[in-house]
Amino acid sequence: MSRDRHLGTATIDIMGTGMAAYRRLLAHPTVRSVLVLGFMIRVPVFASFIVLTLHVVTGLDRSYSAAGLLETVTTVAMAVAAPWRGRALDRIGLRATVGPMLVVLVVVWSIAPFVPYAALLVLAAVGGLANVPHYSVMRQALISAVPDADRKAVLSLDALGTELSFMVGPVLGVVAATRLETSWALLGTQLVALAGGVGLWLANPPLVREETAAVATDGEPATGAGAVAARDRAPAGSTSDVPPGPLWRNPTVLAVLFAGTATTIVLTGTDLGVVAALRHMDQPGSIGWVLAIWGAGSALGVLVYGALHRPVPLNVLLALLAATTIPVALADDRLSLVLLLFVCGLFCAPTITAASEALSRAVPEGSLGEAMGWQGVAFTIGGATGAPLAGLVIDHGGWQGSFVAGGVVALLAAGAALALEAGRTRARVQVPRRAGA
Protein backbone atom coordinates (compact mmCIF):
# COMPACT_ATOMS: atom_id res chain seq x y z
CA MET A 1 0.00 0.00 0.00
CA SER A 2 2.80 2.39 0.91
CA ARG A 3 4.56 1.71 -2.35
CA ASP A 4 1.36 2.34 -4.29
CA ARG A 5 0.83 5.64 -2.47
CA HIS A 6 4.40 6.73 -3.27
CA LEU A 7 3.92 5.78 -6.92
CA GLY A 8 0.66 7.68 -7.10
CA THR A 9 2.20 10.73 -5.44
CA ALA A 10 5.15 10.65 -7.86
CA THR A 11 2.80 10.43 -10.83
CA ILE A 12 0.76 13.40 -9.56
CA ASP A 13 3.96 15.40 -9.01
CA ILE A 14 5.18 14.68 -12.54
CA MET A 15 1.84 15.60 -14.10
CA GLY A 16 1.60 18.70 -11.94
CA THR A 17 5.01 19.84 -13.11
CA GLY A 18 4.02 19.13 -16.70
CA MET A 19 0.83 21.15 -16.40
CA ALA A 20 2.85 23.98 -14.90
CA ALA A 21 5.00 23.87 -18.04
CA TYR A 22 1.84 24.18 -20.13
CA ARG A 23 0.73 27.21 -18.12
CA ARG A 24 4.17 28.78 -18.55
CA LEU A 25 4.14 28.17 -22.30
CA LEU A 26 0.62 29.55 -22.72
CA ALA A 27 1.75 32.70 -20.92
CA HIS A 28 4.47 33.16 -23.56
CA PRO A 29 3.09 35.77 -26.00
CA THR A 30 4.65 34.23 -29.13
CA VAL A 31 3.53 30.70 -28.25
CA ARG A 32 0.03 31.87 -27.42
CA SER A 33 -0.37 33.90 -30.61
CA VAL A 34 1.00 31.09 -32.82
CA LEU A 35 -1.34 28.52 -31.25
CA VAL A 36 -4.38 30.78 -31.66
CA LEU A 37 -3.42 31.63 -35.23
CA GLY A 38 -2.85 27.95 -35.99
CA PHE A 39 -6.32 27.05 -34.72
CA MET A 40 -7.88 29.86 -36.77
CA ILE A 41 -6.13 28.62 -39.92
CA ARG A 42 -6.67 24.88 -39.47
CA VAL A 43 -10.39 24.98 -38.68
CA PRO A 44 -11.36 26.44 -42.09
CA VAL A 45 -8.74 24.25 -43.80
CA PHE A 46 -10.32 21.09 -42.35
CA ALA A 47 -13.77 22.50 -43.15
CA SER A 48 -12.76 23.18 -46.75
CA PHE A 49 -11.79 19.53 -47.29
CA ILE A 50 -15.30 18.26 -46.52
CA VAL A 51 -16.92 21.17 -48.38
CA LEU A 52 -14.83 20.39 -51.48
CA THR A 53 -16.02 16.78 -51.40
CA LEU A 54 -19.66 17.79 -50.97
CA HIS A 55 -19.31 20.37 -53.74
CA VAL A 56 -18.16 17.71 -56.20
CA VAL A 57 -20.83 15.19 -55.17
CA THR A 58 -23.84 17.48 -54.76
CA GLY A 59 -22.96 20.78 -56.42
CA LEU A 60 -21.41 19.28 -59.54
CA ASP A 61 -23.43 16.02 -59.36
CA ARG A 62 -20.35 13.83 -59.72
CA SER A 63 -19.42 10.55 -58.03
CA TYR A 64 -17.48 9.98 -54.84
CA SER A 65 -14.72 8.57 -57.04
CA ALA A 66 -14.52 11.95 -58.75
CA ALA A 67 -14.32 13.62 -55.34
CA GLY A 68 -11.59 11.19 -54.34
CA LEU A 69 -9.63 11.94 -57.50
CA LEU A 70 -9.83 15.65 -56.76
CA GLU A 71 -8.54 15.07 -53.23
CA THR A 72 -5.72 12.92 -54.59
CA VAL A 73 -4.69 15.57 -57.10
CA THR A 74 -4.68 18.25 -54.40
CA THR A 75 -2.75 16.10 -51.93
CA VAL A 76 -0.12 15.04 -54.47
CA ALA A 77 0.40 18.67 -55.52
CA MET A 78 0.84 19.70 -51.88
CA ALA A 79 3.33 16.86 -51.32
CA VAL A 80 5.35 17.74 -54.42
CA ALA A 81 5.62 21.36 -53.34
CA ALA A 82 6.28 20.73 -49.64
CA PRO A 83 10.10 20.30 -49.73
CA TRP A 84 10.80 23.36 -51.86
CA ARG A 85 8.32 25.43 -49.86
CA GLY A 86 10.15 24.39 -46.70
CA ARG A 87 13.51 25.16 -48.30
CA ALA A 88 12.21 28.60 -49.27
CA LEU A 89 11.18 29.24 -45.66
CA ASP A 90 14.74 28.38 -44.58
CA ARG A 91 16.41 30.57 -47.20
CA ILE A 92 14.24 33.63 -47.82
CA GLY A 93 11.92 33.72 -44.82
CA LEU A 94 8.19 33.57 -44.20
CA ARG A 95 6.90 36.71 -45.89
CA ALA A 96 8.85 36.25 -49.13
CA THR A 97 7.69 32.63 -49.31
CA VAL A 98 4.05 33.01 -48.31
CA GLY A 99 3.24 36.35 -49.98
CA PRO A 100 3.24 35.13 -53.62
CA MET A 101 1.34 31.99 -52.57
CA LEU A 102 -1.47 34.07 -51.09
CA VAL A 103 -1.85 36.01 -54.34
CA VAL A 104 -2.08 32.78 -56.36
CA LEU A 105 -4.53 31.23 -53.90
CA VAL A 106 -6.85 34.26 -53.96
CA VAL A 107 -7.08 33.97 -57.75
CA VAL A 108 -7.50 30.18 -57.71
CA TRP A 109 -10.23 29.95 -55.07
CA SER A 110 -12.14 32.97 -56.35
CA ILE A 111 -12.64 31.07 -59.61
CA ALA A 112 -12.61 27.37 -58.65
CA PRO A 113 -16.04 27.16 -56.94
CA PHE A 114 -17.82 28.27 -60.13
CA VAL A 115 -16.16 26.15 -62.83
CA PRO A 116 -16.87 22.65 -64.22
CA TYR A 117 -15.19 19.58 -62.75
CA ALA A 118 -12.31 19.36 -65.27
CA ALA A 119 -11.30 22.98 -64.68
CA LEU A 120 -11.66 22.44 -60.93
CA LEU A 121 -9.10 19.62 -61.12
CA VAL A 122 -6.57 21.94 -62.74
CA LEU A 123 -7.21 24.79 -60.33
CA ALA A 124 -7.06 22.46 -57.32
CA ALA A 125 -3.65 21.24 -58.49
CA VAL A 126 -2.41 24.83 -58.76
CA GLY A 127 -3.86 25.57 -55.33
CA GLY A 128 -2.07 22.54 -53.90
CA LEU A 129 1.25 23.69 -55.32
CA ALA A 130 0.71 27.16 -53.83
CA ASN A 131 -0.67 25.90 -50.51
CA VAL A 132 0.50 27.91 -47.48
CA PRO A 133 2.81 25.62 -45.42
CA HIS A 134 1.06 26.38 -42.12
CA TYR A 135 2.12 23.05 -40.62
CA SER A 136 5.83 23.79 -41.11
CA VAL A 137 5.53 27.44 -40.14
CA MET A 138 3.64 26.80 -36.91
CA ARG A 139 6.02 24.14 -35.68
CA GLN A 140 9.14 26.08 -36.68
CA ALA A 141 7.82 29.18 -34.91
CA LEU A 142 6.99 27.24 -31.73
CA ILE A 143 10.34 25.42 -31.68
CA SER A 144 12.26 28.67 -32.09
CA ALA A 145 10.24 30.42 -29.37
CA VAL A 146 11.06 28.06 -26.49
CA PRO A 147 14.11 26.40 -24.93
CA ASP A 148 15.00 22.86 -25.98
CA ALA A 149 13.62 21.52 -22.69
CA ASP A 150 10.13 22.77 -23.58
CA ARG A 151 10.11 21.52 -27.17
CA LYS A 152 8.08 18.38 -26.48
CA ALA A 153 5.50 20.27 -24.46
CA VAL A 154 5.02 23.04 -27.00
CA LEU A 155 4.74 20.58 -29.90
CA SER A 156 2.17 18.67 -27.86
CA LEU A 157 0.14 21.86 -27.45
CA ASP A 158 0.27 22.33 -31.21
CA ALA A 159 -0.87 18.74 -31.74
CA LEU A 160 -3.71 19.30 -29.28
CA GLY A 161 -4.78 22.36 -31.25
CA THR A 162 -4.68 20.30 -34.46
CA GLU A 163 -6.89 17.61 -32.91
CA LEU A 164 -9.40 20.22 -31.75
CA SER A 165 -9.37 21.81 -35.20
CA PHE A 166 -10.01 18.41 -36.77
CA MET A 167 -12.97 17.88 -34.45
CA VAL A 168 -14.49 21.32 -35.16
CA GLY A 169 -13.63 22.01 -38.80
CA PRO A 170 -15.48 19.19 -40.60
CA VAL A 171 -18.65 19.85 -38.55
CA LEU A 172 -18.63 23.51 -39.57
CA GLY A 173 -17.93 22.46 -43.16
CA VAL A 174 -20.99 20.20 -43.22
CA VAL A 175 -23.14 22.98 -41.74
CA ALA A 176 -21.91 25.47 -44.34
CA ALA A 177 -22.39 23.07 -47.25
CA THR A 178 -25.94 22.12 -46.17
CA ARG A 179 -27.20 25.63 -45.46
CA LEU A 180 -25.59 27.35 -48.46
CA GLU A 181 -25.00 26.41 -52.06
CA THR A 182 -21.83 24.36 -52.10
CA SER A 183 -20.06 26.79 -54.43
CA TRP A 184 -20.58 29.66 -51.98
CA ALA A 185 -19.70 27.45 -49.03
CA LEU A 186 -16.45 26.48 -50.78
CA LEU A 187 -15.66 30.10 -51.56
CA GLY A 188 -16.35 31.12 -47.96
CA THR A 189 -14.25 28.43 -46.30
CA GLN A 190 -11.34 29.00 -48.65
CA LEU A 191 -11.42 32.77 -48.14
CA VAL A 192 -11.50 32.34 -44.36
CA ALA A 193 -8.52 30.00 -44.62
CA LEU A 194 -6.76 32.59 -46.77
CA ALA A 195 -7.53 35.26 -44.18
CA GLY A 196 -5.65 33.07 -41.71
CA GLY A 197 -2.75 32.93 -44.15
CA VAL A 198 -2.77 36.72 -44.37
CA GLY A 199 -2.74 36.86 -40.57
CA LEU A 200 0.27 34.55 -40.60
CA TRP A 201 2.02 36.83 -43.11
CA LEU A 202 1.27 39.89 -40.97
CA ALA A 203 2.36 38.22 -37.71
CA ASN A 204 5.57 36.96 -39.35
CA PRO A 205 6.67 34.87 -36.32
CA PRO A 206 10.41 34.14 -36.14
CA LEU A 207 11.30 30.74 -37.58
CA VAL A 208 14.77 30.59 -36.00
CA ARG A 209 16.07 31.47 -32.56
CA GLU A 210 17.23 35.00 -31.77
CA GLU A 211 20.88 33.94 -31.53
CA THR A 212 20.57 32.34 -34.96
CA ALA A 213 18.92 35.34 -36.55
CA ALA A 214 21.62 37.60 -35.11
CA VAL A 215 24.34 35.84 -37.07
CA ALA A 216 24.99 37.57 -40.40
CA THR A 217 28.66 37.67 -41.26
CA ASP A 218 30.22 38.34 -44.67
CA GLY A 219 26.80 38.88 -46.21
CA GLU A 220 25.65 35.47 -45.05
CA PRO A 221 21.85 35.24 -44.56
CA ALA A 222 20.41 34.75 -41.12
CA THR A 223 18.71 31.59 -42.25
CA GLY A 224 20.17 28.74 -44.28
CA ALA A 225 23.95 28.61 -43.90
CA GLY A 226 23.88 31.41 -41.35
CA ALA A 227 21.43 29.46 -39.25
CA VAL A 228 23.71 26.43 -39.35
CA ALA A 229 26.66 28.58 -38.31
CA ALA A 230 24.74 29.98 -35.37
CA ARG A 231 23.64 26.50 -34.39
CA ASP A 232 27.27 25.37 -34.42
CA ARG A 233 28.17 28.26 -32.10
CA ALA A 234 25.30 27.57 -29.70
CA PRO A 235 26.12 26.35 -26.19
CA ALA A 236 26.79 22.67 -25.67
CA GLY A 237 23.65 20.65 -25.09
CA SER A 238 21.37 23.06 -26.92
CA THR A 239 21.55 21.17 -30.19
CA SER A 240 21.65 17.59 -31.28
CA ASP A 241 24.51 15.67 -32.87
CA VAL A 242 23.68 16.48 -36.48
CA PRO A 243 25.75 14.82 -39.21
CA PRO A 244 26.71 17.11 -42.11
CA GLY A 245 25.40 16.72 -45.64
CA PRO A 246 22.01 16.57 -47.36
CA LEU A 247 19.01 15.54 -45.30
CA TRP A 248 18.45 12.39 -47.34
CA ARG A 249 21.88 11.10 -46.27
CA ASN A 250 21.00 11.39 -42.59
CA PRO A 251 19.87 7.93 -41.38
CA THR A 252 18.01 9.40 -38.43
CA VAL A 253 15.97 11.63 -40.74
CA LEU A 254 15.16 8.67 -42.96
CA ALA A 255 14.12 6.57 -39.95
CA VAL A 256 11.84 9.33 -38.64
CA LEU A 257 10.26 9.86 -42.06
CA PHE A 258 9.71 6.12 -42.40
CA ALA A 259 8.06 6.05 -38.97
CA GLY A 260 5.85 8.98 -40.03
CA THR A 261 4.76 7.09 -43.13
CA ALA A 262 3.93 4.00 -41.05
CA THR A 263 1.97 6.11 -38.56
CA THR A 264 -0.15 7.63 -41.30
CA ILE A 265 -0.82 4.18 -42.75
CA VAL A 266 -2.19 3.15 -39.34
CA LEU A 267 -4.34 6.27 -39.00
CA THR A 268 -5.73 6.01 -42.53
CA GLY A 269 -6.50 2.34 -42.06
CA THR A 270 -8.22 3.08 -38.76
CA ASP A 271 -10.29 5.85 -40.32
CA LEU A 272 -11.56 3.60 -43.11
CA GLY A 273 -11.90 0.65 -40.76
CA VAL A 274 -14.24 2.60 -38.48
CA VAL A 275 -16.47 3.49 -41.41
CA ALA A 276 -16.54 -0.12 -42.62
CA ALA A 277 -17.11 -1.50 -39.11
CA LEU A 278 -20.06 0.76 -38.32
CA ARG A 279 -21.62 0.08 -41.70
CA HIS A 280 -21.26 -3.65 -41.00
CA MET A 281 -22.90 -3.12 -37.59
CA ASP A 282 -25.76 -1.17 -39.22
CA GLN A 283 -24.70 1.97 -37.35
CA PRO A 284 -23.60 4.35 -40.16
CA GLY A 285 -25.14 7.31 -38.37
CA SER A 286 -22.62 6.89 -35.55
CA ILE A 287 -19.54 7.40 -37.72
CA GLY A 288 -19.11 11.08 -36.85
CA TRP A 289 -19.24 10.86 -33.08
CA VAL A 290 -17.28 7.59 -32.95
CA LEU A 291 -14.45 9.24 -34.88
CA ALA A 292 -14.74 12.22 -32.53
CA ILE A 293 -14.18 9.93 -29.53
CA TRP A 294 -11.13 8.48 -31.27
CA GLY A 295 -9.91 12.06 -31.69
CA ALA A 296 -10.67 12.84 -28.05
CA GLY A 297 -8.45 9.93 -27.00
CA SER A 298 -5.70 11.31 -29.23
CA ALA A 299 -6.07 14.78 -27.69
CA LEU A 300 -5.89 13.38 -24.16
CA GLY A 301 -2.89 11.25 -25.07
CA VAL A 302 -0.86 14.13 -26.44
CA LEU A 303 -1.76 16.31 -23.45
CA VAL A 304 -0.35 13.66 -21.10
CA TYR A 305 2.64 12.97 -23.35
CA GLY A 306 3.66 16.62 -23.43
CA ALA A 307 3.50 16.80 -19.63
CA LEU A 308 5.92 13.91 -19.14
CA HIS A 309 9.44 14.81 -18.03
CA ARG A 310 11.20 12.13 -20.04
CA PRO A 311 10.51 11.73 -23.76
CA VAL A 312 9.22 8.37 -24.94
CA PRO A 313 11.22 7.05 -27.94
CA LEU A 314 9.42 7.30 -31.26
CA ASN A 315 9.77 3.59 -32.01
CA VAL A 316 8.21 2.74 -28.63
CA LEU A 317 5.21 5.00 -29.28
CA LEU A 318 4.83 3.53 -32.75
CA ALA A 319 4.89 0.01 -31.29
CA LEU A 320 2.28 1.02 -28.69
CA LEU A 321 0.10 2.53 -31.41
CA ALA A 322 0.32 -0.74 -33.33
CA ALA A 323 -0.27 -2.89 -30.24
CA THR A 324 -3.45 -0.98 -29.35
CA THR A 325 -4.75 -0.73 -32.93
CA ILE A 326 -4.70 -4.45 -33.73
CA PRO A 327 -7.11 -5.37 -30.86
CA VAL A 328 -9.77 -3.06 -32.34
CA ALA A 329 -10.40 -5.92 -34.76
CA LEU A 330 -11.83 -7.87 -31.78
CA ALA A 331 -14.73 -5.43 -31.28
CA ASP A 332 -18.11 -7.15 -31.63
CA ASP A 333 -20.41 -4.17 -31.09
CA ARG A 334 -20.40 -0.37 -31.16
CA LEU A 335 -19.57 0.04 -27.46
CA SER A 336 -16.51 -2.20 -27.56
CA LEU A 337 -15.41 -0.51 -30.79
CA VAL A 338 -15.62 2.92 -29.16
CA LEU A 339 -13.67 1.83 -26.07
CA LEU A 340 -10.91 0.16 -28.08
CA LEU A 341 -10.68 3.16 -30.41
CA PHE A 342 -10.32 5.52 -27.46
CA VAL A 343 -7.41 3.44 -26.15
CA CYS A 344 -5.55 3.33 -29.46
CA GLY A 345 -6.29 7.03 -29.92
CA LEU A 346 -4.17 7.75 -26.85
CA PHE A 347 -1.05 7.04 -28.93
CA CYS A 348 -2.02 8.72 -32.23
CA ALA A 349 -1.08 12.36 -31.68
CA PRO A 350 1.83 11.50 -29.33
CA THR A 351 3.42 9.42 -32.11
CA ILE A 352 3.03 12.24 -34.63
CA THR A 353 4.40 14.74 -32.09
CA ALA A 354 7.36 12.51 -31.23
CA ALA A 355 8.15 12.22 -34.94
CA SER A 356 8.18 16.00 -35.34
CA GLU A 357 10.32 16.42 -32.24
CA ALA A 358 12.79 13.74 -33.34
CA LEU A 359 13.02 15.28 -36.80
CA SER A 360 13.61 18.77 -35.39
CA ARG A 361 16.53 17.44 -33.33
CA ALA A 362 18.01 15.48 -36.24
CA VAL A 363 18.58 18.46 -38.57
CA PRO A 364 20.28 21.85 -38.33
CA GLU A 365 17.95 24.67 -37.36
CA GLY A 366 18.48 26.31 -40.74
CA SER A 367 17.11 23.22 -42.50
CA LEU A 368 14.05 22.70 -40.31
CA GLY A 369 11.60 24.04 -42.88
CA GLU A 370 12.85 21.64 -45.54
CA ALA A 371 12.76 18.76 -43.04
CA MET A 372 9.15 19.53 -42.11
CA GLY A 373 8.34 19.65 -45.81
CA TRP A 374 9.75 16.16 -46.27
CA GLN A 375 7.74 15.03 -43.27
CA GLY A 376 4.64 16.26 -45.07
CA VAL A 377 5.68 14.11 -48.04
CA ALA A 378 6.10 11.10 -45.72
CA PHE A 379 2.63 11.65 -44.28
CA THR A 380 1.18 11.96 -47.79
CA ILE A 381 2.84 8.73 -48.89
CA GLY A 382 1.42 7.03 -45.82
CA GLY A 383 -2.08 8.26 -46.60
CA ALA A 384 -1.79 7.34 -50.27
CA THR A 385 -0.53 3.86 -49.30
CA GLY A 386 -2.78 3.27 -46.31
CA ALA A 387 -6.08 3.99 -48.07
CA PRO A 388 -5.76 1.38 -50.86
CA LEU A 389 -4.16 -1.12 -48.45
CA ALA A 390 -7.07 -0.77 -46.04
CA GLY A 391 -9.59 -0.96 -48.88
CA LEU A 392 -7.98 -4.11 -50.23
CA VAL A 393 -8.01 -5.97 -46.92
CA ILE A 394 -11.55 -4.78 -46.11
CA ASP A 395 -12.81 -6.07 -49.45
CA HIS A 396 -11.13 -9.45 -49.02
CA GLY A 397 -11.13 -10.00 -45.26
CA GLY A 398 -13.71 -7.71 -43.69
CA TRP A 399 -13.37 -4.50 -41.70
CA GLN A 400 -11.17 -6.19 -39.08
CA GLY A 401 -8.36 -6.53 -41.61
CA SER A 402 -7.75 -2.78 -41.81
CA PHE A 403 -6.80 -2.60 -38.12
CA VAL A 404 -4.63 -5.72 -38.28
CA ALA A 405 -2.83 -4.68 -41.48
CA GLY A 406 -2.11 -1.16 -40.22
CA GLY A 407 -0.89 -2.48 -36.87
CA VAL A 408 1.43 -5.02 -38.49
CA VAL A 409 2.94 -2.33 -40.73
CA ALA A 410 3.56 -0.12 -37.68
CA LEU A 411 5.13 -2.98 -35.73
CA LEU A 412 7.49 -3.76 -38.61
CA ALA A 413 8.40 -0.07 -38.91
CA ALA A 414 9.06 0.18 -35.17
CA GLY A 415 11.28 -2.91 -35.32
CA ALA A 416 13.19 -1.51 -38.28
CA ALA A 417 13.70 1.82 -36.49
CA LEU A 418 14.93 0.00 -33.39
CA ALA A 419 17.39 -2.05 -35.43
CA LEU A 420 18.66 1.06 -37.20
CA GLU A 421 19.18 2.89 -33.92
CA ALA A 422 21.00 -0.12 -32.46
CA GLY A 423 23.27 -0.21 -35.50
CA ARG A 424 24.08 3.48 -35.17
CA THR A 425 24.82 3.02 -31.46
CA ARG A 426 27.23 0.17 -32.21
CA ALA A 427 28.92 2.29 -34.90
CA ARG A 428 29.40 5.20 -32.49
CA VAL A 429 30.94 2.85 -29.93
CA GLN A 430 33.28 1.16 -32.41
CA VAL A 431 34.70 4.37 -33.89
CA PRO A 432 36.32 5.62 -30.65
CA ARG A 433 37.71 2.14 -30.01
CA ARG A 434 39.38 2.03 -33.40
CA ALA A 435 40.68 5.56 -32.95
CA GLY A 436 42.25 4.60 -29.64
CA ALA A 437 43.71 1.34 -30.92
Side-chain angles (χ1 to χ4, degrees):
M1 291 289 293
S2 177
R3 180 180 179 182
D4 292 340
R5 283 198 299 269
H6 286 311
L7 181 60
T9 302
T11 303
I12 293 173
D13 289 342
I14 290 173
M15 293 303 299
T17 304
M19 294 303 168
Y22 284 146
R23 288 193 293 270
R24 184 178 68 254
L25 289 172
L26 291 174
H28 192 297
T30 300
V31 171
R32 187 171 59 248
S33 62
V34 169
L35 289 174
V36 171
L37 190 57
F39 184 78
M40 293 175 60
I41 293 174
R42 287 165 179 163
V43 166
V45 166
F46 284 129
S48 67
F49 288 153
I50 189 69
V51 170
L52 192 58
T53 298
L54 293 174
H55 175 64
V56 172
V57 174
T58 61
L60 299 180
D61 196 24
R62 303 297 291 256
S63 66
Y64 280 99
S65 296
L69 176 61
L70 180 64
E71 183 177 348
T72 299
V73 168
T74 305
T75 304
V76 169
M78 292 169 61
V80 169
W84 66 258
R85 282 199 307 260
R87 197 175 301 118
L89 288 172
D90 293 331
R91 295 181 177 178
I92 62 177
L94 189 152
R95 283 187 169 174
T97 301
V98 172
M101 294 178 181
L102 292 173
V103 175
V104 173
L105 289 171
V106 167
V107 175
V108 166
W109 292 113
S110 296
I111 300 172
F114 309 102
V115 299
Y117 177 75
L120 179 60
L121 277 176
V122 176
L123 290 171
V126 175
L129 291 172
N131 183 62
V132 175
H134 58 86
Y135 176 89
S136 298
V137 170
M138 297 301 172
R139 299 221 155 180
Q140 281 183 262
L142 291 172
I143 289 172
S144 67
V146 301
D148 283 348
D150 289 331
R151 183 174 302 187
K152 177 166 64 68
V154 80
L155 289 178
S156 296
L157 284 175
D158 182 65
L160 177 63
T162 301
E163 291 293 333
L164 295 176
S165 302
F166 176 73
M167 295 170 69
V168 173
V171 174
L172 294 180
V174 171
V175 171
T178 53
R179 295 192 176 185
L180 302 172
E181 290 186 15
T182 56
S183 56
W184 291 106
L186 180 58
L187 176 65
T189 53
Q190 291 291 349
L191 289 181
V192 173
L194 284 172
V198 173
L200 186 64
W201 185 87
L202 292 173
N204 192 26
L207 303 184
V208 293
R209 301 181 191 275
E210 292 182 0
E211 61 268 23
T212 301
V215 175
T217 57
D218 298 327
E220 194 174 42
T223 55
V228 178
R231 184 178 176 89
D232 292 339
R233 298 174 194 176
S238 62
T239 64
S240 59
D241 182 16
V242 180
L247 297 184
W248 56 266
R249 294 180 59 183
N250 185 330
T252 302
V253 170
L254 294 179
V256 172
L257 294 179
F258 183 58
T261 299
T263 303
T264 315
I265 289 175
V266 177
L267 301 184
T268 304
T270 301
D271 199 356
L272 295 179
V274 170
V275 174
L278 290 172
R279 287 173 60 106
H280 177 79
M281 297 174 185
D282 293 325
Q283 300 285 346
S286 304
I287 292 174
W289 67 262
V290 170
L291 289 175
I293 289 179
W294 180 41
S298 182
L300 176 61
V302 80
L303 190 64
V304 173
Y305 171 74
L308 297 176
H309 276 304
R310 295 181 180 179
V312 182
L314 173 59
N315 58 326
V316 173
L317 285 170
L318 185 57
L320 289 171
L321 176 62
T324 53
T325 298
I326 293 175
V328 180
L330 301 176
D332 55 4
D333 57 19
R334 185 175 61 180
L335 177 60
S336 58
L337 179 68
V338 167
L339 294 176
L340 290 168
L341 279 172
F342 182 83
V343 173
C344 75
L346 295 172
F347 301 101
C348 293
T351 306
I352 295 289
T353 302
S356 296
E357 183 187 9
L359 187 62
S360 70
R361 296 186 185 279
V363 301
E365 188 177 357
S367 300
L368 187 55
E370 181 181 357
M372 290 295 175
W374 281 113
Q375 188 175 50
V377 174
F379 290 159
T380 301
I381 293 174
T385 305
L389 174 63
L392 182 65
V393 296
I394 289 172
D395 289 339
H396 289 82
W399 61 267
Q400 296 90 342
S402 61
F403 299 102
V404 175
V408 169
V409 168
L411 281 177
L412 293 175
L418 183 62
L420 177 61
E421 185 61 30
R424 292 191 67 219
T425 301
R426 286 195 299 270
R428 284 195 294 264
V429 170
Q430 290 173 359
V431 169
R433 286 180 179 174
R434 291 176 182 173

